[in-house]
Amino acid sequence: MPLSKFQPLLNEMTLTEKIAQLVQLAAPFFKGSKDEGQITGPLAGLGLSQQTVKDAGSVLGTSGAEEVIRIQKAHLQENRHGIPLLFMADIVHGYKTIFPVPIAIGCSFDLELAEKSAEIAAKEAAVSGLHVTFAPMADLVRDPRWGRVMETTGEDPYLNSEFARAFVRGFQGQNLSLESSRVAACVKHFAAYGAAEGGRDYNTVNMSERELRESYLPAYKAALDEGAEMVMTSFNTVDGIPATGNKNLMRDLLRDEWQFDGILISDWGAVKELIPHGVAKDEKEAARKAIEAGVDIEIMSACYALNLENLVLEGTINEALIDEAVLRIFTLKDKLGLFENPYRAADPEEEKKVVLSDENRVYARTLAEKSCVLLKNDGLLPLNVSKKVALIGPFSTSGDILGPWSWMGSKDEAVTLYEAMKTRLSHPNLITAQGCEIHTGSEEQLAKAIEAATNADIILLALGEASEMSGEAGSRTSIQLPQVQLELIKELKKVNKPMAAVLFNGRPLDLHVIVENTDAILEAWFPGTEGGSAIANLLFGDSSPSAKLTMSFPYSVGQVPVYYNCYNTGRPKDAVDAQERYVSQYLDSPNEPLFPFGFGLSYTTFHYENPSLSSSVMNENDTIEISVKVTNTGDASAEEIVQLYIQDVSGEVVRPLKELKAFQKIFLQPGQSEQVTFQLIEEQLRYYHSNLNFESDPGNFHVYIGGNSRDTLSLSFELRKKMEGKINDNSNSIKISN
Ligand code: BGC
């Protein structure tokens, strides 16, 4: 580590004081907290001394500027060096103005609005006293059973990387030191947390280093390239070693190869979890393994506080490891300006003005509108205002539409679908009935729903998962809606009226029952504070749905994992000479998902034609242009997300069937056309070879352009690379070129 201006301060500190800087505790541990002393459950048994709490370096989860100011003040009175506390929390998709959950934000393909949402979240958080957010979550996901898919932007490494960058820009701004209204970003969960076996949270992750580098690492790296100040370890193992004690991952890759010199923080209790994982016999060994791996801060377990000192004194670890970690923490405190102003932007008066402002709500509404995916529409939507609508289902009047990780958000502040519909339709044109609860229902509720449906022209269902059914520890083996809601649909189908469903949920669902029984489906995810208004705007056609899925929706859970950028097999089902039986297939299901990556309907139709390439050969330093003409052939003005995919036809290792390389959002009036042009360079064709070199293969590539990953127009070109003085055209001799 280079010499730091904090060396003199470090020299004055005792070893005990230094170690306390590496401790992060929840707010109730601290004097001045609104819940001071209310420490229950396993936390009560951490065994920390009062002195450690007094000297601790950072706080997790506070509830506003006043509390932060009180805690910081009390702390500074007691800390003999006057070292300010760092305040951190999970501001994942908004502070109090809650934006759609990240999986929904991903579906907007709108990087600018994603950045804006993070900026607003940062501003609300900063004025409420926070300095660091545990976001973005850059985990790639392929398994909808895993509840935390709602926290990511989906199954594509390129798209996830672009969103990770956008979120970091939004949280941190241009210069964290100059903008006290921004917060430092902590990218998580390093690494590959999204690949938990069987979709069961915290479970083992097993994959080759090549796959890790190709699919899972790019988004974390992108966040760091964008300047994210911190990294959080993941709970899972990576190649047999839990991330939090994994030297290969943290020292060799993150620190040495990627040159990350910011703070590495453990996930909640993850240092101690090295014991049940089976790589540490006790807390002392857990502390040693984590500090050796390079974990600077331990959250909510006491392995460091209780053991690091002995480990140094007995000579097992070098004190330099601790000094290094403390200096990183001081560097961030300094960057945030805390040594000059320990309260930074915390301001109870400003907080009232900034938090949940009307302006912030407008952004939340706009992003929610751009995040809802229209999955089916047999002409029922947009709704005709002159028709009578029966709004039925547990989410009609529910404010549980913020989704997990919105702990500062309030359901009471959320605009429900019923409230928003009421501003457009009044009784008797809007009738509501609960129909059932999320998991249960009664004969009486069903009878009322049938009556409402009978008296209406159109049935509008508001169905979904309660927010605790996804998020952390929210894994499920069934990805259908709860049975009672499926029964409700089937019963209402018998009423024989046009029926649309709006879905509130945190994961891709098996929607086959809903597809079979309804005329239209709008996937609203957890749309946030302004969810109801955004959905009503779409339902009544003020704007057209434009979002596209960033995670495949399977036919059934038995297909999982099913993702668009998979490899082929030696026996593809659709090969010309395929035998009926001995091909890679399910006997009882298609191979493809029900709704593919990139899919989403609109109130208009788009026609793609005349795809063209500026050249059918790409030399190494060339840029080739790929164009397509897109025309709005319907009668609504709408946005379209034009997607560009490639396929390396003959790789050194097998290559995905399609890989997203670029996308553009365009807005077209009815009848209007636009020529959309993408540029492609050799660098975008590189991938990790078997020797882990990152390079491209000379040879043929397919290019696919379309409005989703399934329905595309295709072209081909050849990449030519100079090799040992001659041009290589189609030979697959990557290794010789090294
Ligand atoms: C979660 C993290 C979160 C941390 C702190 C953990 O349980 O896995 O995502 O940042 O808690 O709240």
Side-chain angles (χ1 to χ4, degrees):
M1 209 168 185
L3 256 186
S4 161
K5 68 177 188 186
F6 291 105
Q7 196 59 48
L9 171 58
L10 199 67
N11 294 343
E12 279 175 25
M13 294 170 75
T14 63
L15 180 57
T16 324
E17 285 171 335
K18 291 195 264 186
I19 292 166
Q21 283 297 313
L22 317 190
V23 174
Q24 176 160 134
L25 296 169
F29 279 89
F30 293 86
K31 214 170 169 180
S33 157
K34 71 174 178 34
D35 300 320
E36 187 181 334
Q38 286 176 37
I39 303 150
T40 52
L43 303 184
L46 280 185
L48 291 169
S49 71
Q50 267 313 309
Q51 196 54 47
T52 304
V53 178
K54 281 183 189 161
D55 291 335
S58 52
V59 186
L60 169 63
T62 40
S63 62
E66 274 178 10
E67 184 180 31
V68 167
I69 292 169
R70 274 198 317 268
I71 296 177
Q72 189 74 291
K73 204 175 223 166
H75 175 78
L76 291 171
Q77 277 163 7
E78 289 184 333
N79 185 288
R80 72 179 182 111
H81 303 287
I83 303 167
L85 284 162
L86 260 174
F87 289 84
M88 310 194 187
D90 298 89
I91 310 304
V92 176
H93 54 112
Y95 180 75
K96 280 196 181 168
T97 305
I98 303 297
F99 291 87
V101 288
I103 188 85
I105 297 181
C107 295
S108 73
F109 280 70
D110 199 317
L111 300 172
E112 262 175 50
L113 265 178
E115 180 177 337
K116 189 71 194 175
S117 73
E119 180 190 328
I120 290 171
K123 288 186 168 162
E124 292 193 0
V127 79
S128 307
L130 293 173
H131 307 138
V132 175
T133 174
F134 294 135
M137 200 248 224
D139 303 324
L140 183 117
V141 289
R142 293 174 174 168
D143 193 331
R145 292 172 296 182
W146 193 49
R148 300 194 81 166
V149 298
M150 48 68 50
E151 276 177 74
T152 88
T153 48
E155 70 190 31
D156 185 73
Y158 164 71
L159 194 69
N160 286 357
S161 301
E162 292 298 298
F163 273 106
R165 282 178 178 276
F167 288 134
V168 171
R169 284 195 298 273
F171 287 132
Q172 297 195 164
Q174 294 280 327
N175 185 335
L176 210 46
S177 304
L178 301 178
E179 289 181 86
S180 65
S181 63
R182 304 293 181 124
V183 293
C186 174
V187 60
K188 66 190 187 185
H189 306 82
F190 196 69
Y193 183 34
E197 278 180 3
R200 179 158 54 82
D201 207 1
Y202 318 123
N203 204 6
T204 306
V205 168
N206 228 334
M207 71 176 69
S208 69
E209 182 177 347
R210 222 193 55 73
E211 170 65 349
L212 182 71
R213 286 180 182 266
E214 173 160 326
S215 303
Y216 288 83
L217 296 185
Y220 310 111
K221 179 69 165 58
L224 294 178
D225 290 345
E226 202 63 44
E229 294 287 346
M230 287 181 55
V231 173
M232 182 184 282
T233 69
S234 56
F235 287 122
N236 53 281
T237 52
V238 175
D239 201 10
I241 304 175
T244 308
N246 194 323
K247 262 187 174 171
N248 306 336
L249 190 65
M250 304 302 178
R251 288 268 173 212
D252 301 349
L253 191 125
L254 182 67
R255 296 277 189 220
D256 295 346
E257 190 182 323
W258 290 3
Q259 295 286 299
F260 172 68
D261 60 2
I263 298 173
L264 176 62
I265 191 167
S266 79
D267 202 342
W268 179 295
V271 176
K272 193 169 171 183
E273 288 175 20
L274 297 180
I275 304 170
H277 265 300
V279 296
K281 64 178 182 303
D282 53 22
E283 293 193 17
K284 190 172 175 190
E285 193 173 13
R288 176 177 69 74
K289 290 206 163 180
I291 196 87
E292 283 179 351
V295 175
D296 301 311
I297 299 181
E298 176 183 16
I299 305 190
M300 296 304 292
S301 54
C303 305
Y304 277 15
L306 302 180
N307 296 286
L308 284 183
E309 186 152 356
N310 282 341
L311 284 165
V312 173
L313 296 178
E314 72 194 25
T316 310
I317 62 165
N318 195 324
E319 190 168 346
L321 282 180
I322 289 157
D323 289 355
E324 203 182 279
V326 177
L327 288 179
R328 286 195 196 104
I329 295 164
F330 286 170
T331 303
L332 183 60
K333 290 182 175 181
D334 186 40
K335 206 178 245 188
L336 290 159
L338 297 179
F339 288 101
E340 287 81 51
N341 175 9
Y343 306 103
R344 204 164 175 258
D347 183 336
E349 287 313 309
E350 272 300 296
E351 187 181 16
K352 284 183 204 138
K353 290 185 216 150
V354 173
V355 169
L356 258 181
S357 69
D358 291 347
E359 190 194 343
N360 293 355
R361 277 178 172 271
V362 171
Y363 280 108
R365 184 156 65 240
T366 310
L367 188 48
E369 252 177 76
K370 288 178 191 278
S371 303
C372 295
V373 189
L374 184 63
L375 294 177
K376 177 175 179 182
N377 189 15
D378 289 346
L380 178 56
L381 299 178
L383 294 174
N384 183 332
V385 270
S386 62
K387 300 273 180 181
K388 269 190 176 177
V389 177
L391 175 60
I392 299 172
F395 281 88
S396 310
T397 53
S398 168
D400 185 16
I401 59 173
L402 305 181
W405 292 113
S406 53
W407 56 283
M408 283 304 287
S410 155
K411 290 179 190 169
D412 299 336
E413 299 285 356
V415 182
T416 68
L417 184 52
Y418 175 64
E419 277 160 11
M421 299 275 297
K422 233 173 31 177
T423 63
R424 298 166 183 266
L425 295 180
S426 48
H427 192 78
N429 274 11
L430 179 64
I431 324 164
T432 48
Q434 178 88 356
C436 62
E437 310 298 322
I438 289 174
H439 294 284
T440 56
S442 66
E443 289 296 324
E444 196 191 333
Q445 282 177 319
L446 180 61
K448 282 191 179 155
I450 292 174
E451 190 192 330
T454 312
N455 291 328
D457 303 314
I458 292 167
I459 305 168
L460 181 63
L461 292 167
L463 307 173
E465 293 183 316
S467 54
E468 64 272 11
M469 289 167 74
S470 57
E472 186 173 353
S475 299
R476 296 183 66 206
T477 58
S478 161
I479 54 167
Q480 290 205 337
L481 286 183
Q483 197 54 32
V484 66
Q485 297 187 49
L486 298 180
E487 289 305 324
L488 177 69
I489 300 177
K490 289 180 190 162
E491 288 303 317
L492 290 173
K493 172 80 175 165
K494 295 180 192 158
V495 179
N496 208 13
K497 299 274 170 80
M499 186 153 72
V502 179
L503 303 177
F504 298 83
N505 48 285
R507 57 158 60 76
L509 294 170
D510 162 357
L511 295 178
H512 76 266
V513 174
I514 306 175
V515 171
E516 281 159 20
N517 289 285
T518 59
D519 303 289
I521 304 174
L522 185 69
E523 174 55 78
W525 304 105
F526 287 114
T529 308
E530 285 290 318
S533 315
I535 296 165
N537 289 352
L538 294 172
L539 290 177
F540 287 98
D542 297 359
S543 57
S544 169
S546 59
K548 309 260 189 177
L549 297 178
T550 57
M551 211 181 154
S552 308
F553 272 46
Y555 263 98
S556 71
V557 75
Q559 275 185 322
V560 168
V562 59
Y563 49 96
Y564 91 96
N565 42 4
C566 60
Y567 302 131
N568 212 346
T569 65
R571 294 189 175 198
K573 197 177 169 193
D574 52 2
V576 187
D577 53 354
Q579 292 189 25
E580 215 173 280
R581 181 170 181 105
Y582 297 100
V583 292
S584 181
Q585 65 182 338
Y586 295 108
L587 297 177
D588 55 355
S589 158
N591 287 354
E592 295 73 28
L594 183 54
F595 297 112
F597 178 90
F599 177 83
L601 300 171
S602 158
Y603 290 154
T604 192
T605 43
F606 294 100
H607 179 66
Y608 285 67
E609 64 191 325
N610 298 338
S612 67
L613 282 166
S614 58
S615 166
S616 58
V617 172
M618 179 196 273
N619 291 306
E620 253 169 299
N621 296 319
D622 291 353
T623 299
I624 60 170
E625 292 200 335
I626 300 144
S627 295
V628 68
K629 184 178 169 195
V630 184
T631 306
N632 180 340
T633 46
D635 38 43
S637 50
E639 274 185 327
E640 167 70 333
I641 300 162
V642 184
Q643 302 157 43
L644 176 86
Y645 299 87
I646 63 136
Q647 181 190 15
D648 184 341
V649 177
S650 168
E652 187 246 349
V653 296
V654 293
R655 304 304 306 139
L657 285 170
K658 280 185 184 137
E659 294 175 74
L660 183 72
K661 288 293 165 187
F663 59 89
Q664 281 183 39
K665 284 189 90 163
I666 55 171
F667 180 84
L668 295 179
Q669 301 291 349
Q672 193 186 349
S673 297
E674 188 168 324
Q675 191 72 19
V676 177
T677 303
F678 295 98
Q679 299 195 322
L680 199 67
I681 56 172
E682 180 271 336
E683 208 182 314
Q684 289 168 281
L685 309 178
R686 295 182 195 169
Y687 68 92
Y688 288 96
H689 283 63
S690 55
N691 57 8
L692 298 184
N693 279 357
F694 189 65
E695 58 198 347
S696 59
D697 294 320
N700 289 340
F701 286 79
H702 291 322
V703 176
Y704 302 96
I705 312 182
N708 66 64
S709 64
R710 184 189 57 202
D711 308 309
T712 51
L713 299 172
S714 66
L715 297 160
S716 294
F717 69 91
E718 183 193 341
L719 172 67
R720 289 194 186 157
K721 296 179 77 172
K722 280 212 178 76
M723 297 176 57
E724 291 163 3
K726 54 181 189 207
I727 304 272
N728 173 294
D729 41 39
N730 229 343
S731 70
N732 204 6
S733 42
I734 277 295
K735 284 195 173 134
I736 305 168
S737 69
N738 287 323

